[in-house]
Amino acid sequence: MTAPFNFSRGKLPLLVSIPHAGTALTPEVESALSDAAKPLPDTDWHIPKLYDFVQALGASVIVGNYSRMVIDLNRPADDKPLYTTATTGLYPETLFDGSAVFVPGKEPSAEQRKFALKNIWQPYHLQLQSELERMKAEHGYALLFDAHSIASHIPRLFDGKLPDINFGTNSGKSCDELIEEHLVACVASQQRFSWVANGRFKGGYITRAYGQPMQGIHAVQLELAQCNYMDEQPPFTWRADRAEQLQPLLEQIIRSMLASAQQIV
């Protein structure tokens, strides 16, 4: 099978997690997808490319290879809901717009889902945990930046157009308040992109589970509106003209997170 993730180790106390950019499918899931799901519309398209500068900065990077249609790496293993509003689970059965993921009667079996949990979800999280522990042992603290994107209009999930930049810190619980203050100040200093902190997206399982500021591990999720770097309709084309406007701000955000963490230590 395809490796569950790709990982590269850096020199900084920063791990960039990209759990939803994968497009690999198990044979059982691929053969059962509905017509609406076959283009994999809920993928965080091109996020590794958008953040390709972080390795040059010295960050570690982990990228999931499998589609969230197989298993969602940003949901808890027990599939406990993260939001009281509309969302999708560990094994999504509906797309963000409410369409069915699978042809009726062809949904993956319990055994197939157990296989995905053991061979895709668990390895990703074991690597994530291991790298955070290594960074904390080496530097005294660790930073986790969970990188996501989503279509800017999804009526089932939120009203109107999503802000361009959506920070999630589990309402301030997943990182030191100084880090969040610096991130907000960074985006507030520019006029091109709209932003919000802990709005519709407060952080998924990865942010909530690993962000333990009292233990020296600080986690932030960033959900980007996809219209700022790609076409939101199939074939989901990368738009270099738009990405070139967004990437400098993303680098400023990453640098701000690093600088604020150094002040805490």
Side-chain angles (χ1 to χ4, degrees):
M1 60 180 288
T2 301
F5 60 84
N6 290 331
F7 172 74
S8 62
R9 176 165 292 163
K11 60 183 180 181
L12 295 174
L14 171 64
L15 173 61
V16 176
S17 164
I18 305 176
H20 288 156
T23 57
L25 299 167
T26 59
E28 298 83 6
V29 168
E30 185 172 16
S31 64
L33 289 178
S34 67
D35 289 342
K38 285 178 180 178
L40 305 181
D42 297 344
T43 302
D44 290 8
W45 295 102
H46 311 296
I47 286 293
K49 184 175 183 178
L50 189 66
Y51 284 91
D52 62 2
F53 62 87
V54 297
Q55 290 189 13
L57 292 178
S60 298
V61 181
I62 182 169
V63 182
N65 287 331
Y66 276 85
S67 169
R68 68 194 306 166
M69 299 300 98
V70 178
I71 191 167
D72 192 327
L73 299 172
N74 201 28
R75 298 292 184 269
D78 62 5
D79 204 14
K80 184 178 180 180
L82 297 175
Y83 292 94
T84 57
T85 51
T87 186
T88 54
L90 181 66
Y91 306 103
E93 296 185 352
T94 60
L95 299 175
F96 290 160
D97 66 4
S99 302
V101 171
F102 300 107
V103 174
K106 289 192 174 183
E107 296 85 357
S109 67
E111 196 64 29
Q112 290 163 354
R113 289 177 170 179
K114 183 178 179 181
F115 177 89
L117 183 66
K118 179 180 179 180
N119 294 283
I120 300 172
W121 192 97
Q122 289 182 357
Y124 188 92
H125 283 270
L126 287 172
Q127 181 63 50
L128 196 157
Q129 293 168 17
S130 174
E131 182 62 5
L132 290 175
E133 291 170 0
R134 183 198 68 80
M135 290 191 301
K136 183 181 176 183
E138 181 175 340
H139 300 278
Y141 66 99
L143 305 175
L144 173 60
F145 188 91
D146 206 38
H148 295 261
S149 71
I150 194 170
S152 58
H153 289 89
I154 304 180
R156 178 172 172 265
L157 299 188
F158 48 82
D159 296 331
K161 183 179 183 293
L162 189 71
D164 300 318
I165 306 287
N166 300 265
F167 289 119
T169 64
N170 194 19
S171 298
K173 299 176 184 177
S174 68
C175 70
D176 189 274
E177 62 182 359
L178 184 64
I179 293 178
E180 184 171 340
E181 289 174 2
H182 274 65
L183 295 177
V184 167
C186 179
V187 294
S189 67
Q190 54 82 47
Q191 302 297 320
R192 179 181 292 273
F193 300 101
S194 59
W195 62 274
V196 69
N198 293 302
R200 172 60 180 82
F201 298 98
K202 299 181 185 342
Y205 173 72
I206 290 173
T207 304
R208 302 184 196 198
Y210 299 108
Q212 301 175 27
M214 296 300 293
Q215 304 301 320
I217 301 178
H218 306 271
V220 173
Q221 175 178 295
L222 178 53
E223 190 86 55
L224 296 170
Q226 292 178 335
C227 60
N228 292 295
Y229 72 92
M230 58 172 274
D231 291 334
E232 294 186 348
Q233 300 300 319
F236 308 111
T237 304
W238 166 265
R239 291 292 301 272
D241 56 328
R242 300 177 190 174
E244 288 170 0
Q245 301 297 319
L246 178 59
Q247 284 177 307
L249 178 58
L250 294 179
E251 183 168 344
Q252 290 174 27
I253 287 170
I254 294 293
R255 291 183 180 276
S256 178
M257 188 175 183
L258 288 164
S260 59
Q262 291 175 355
Q263 293 184 32
I264 296 169
V265 177

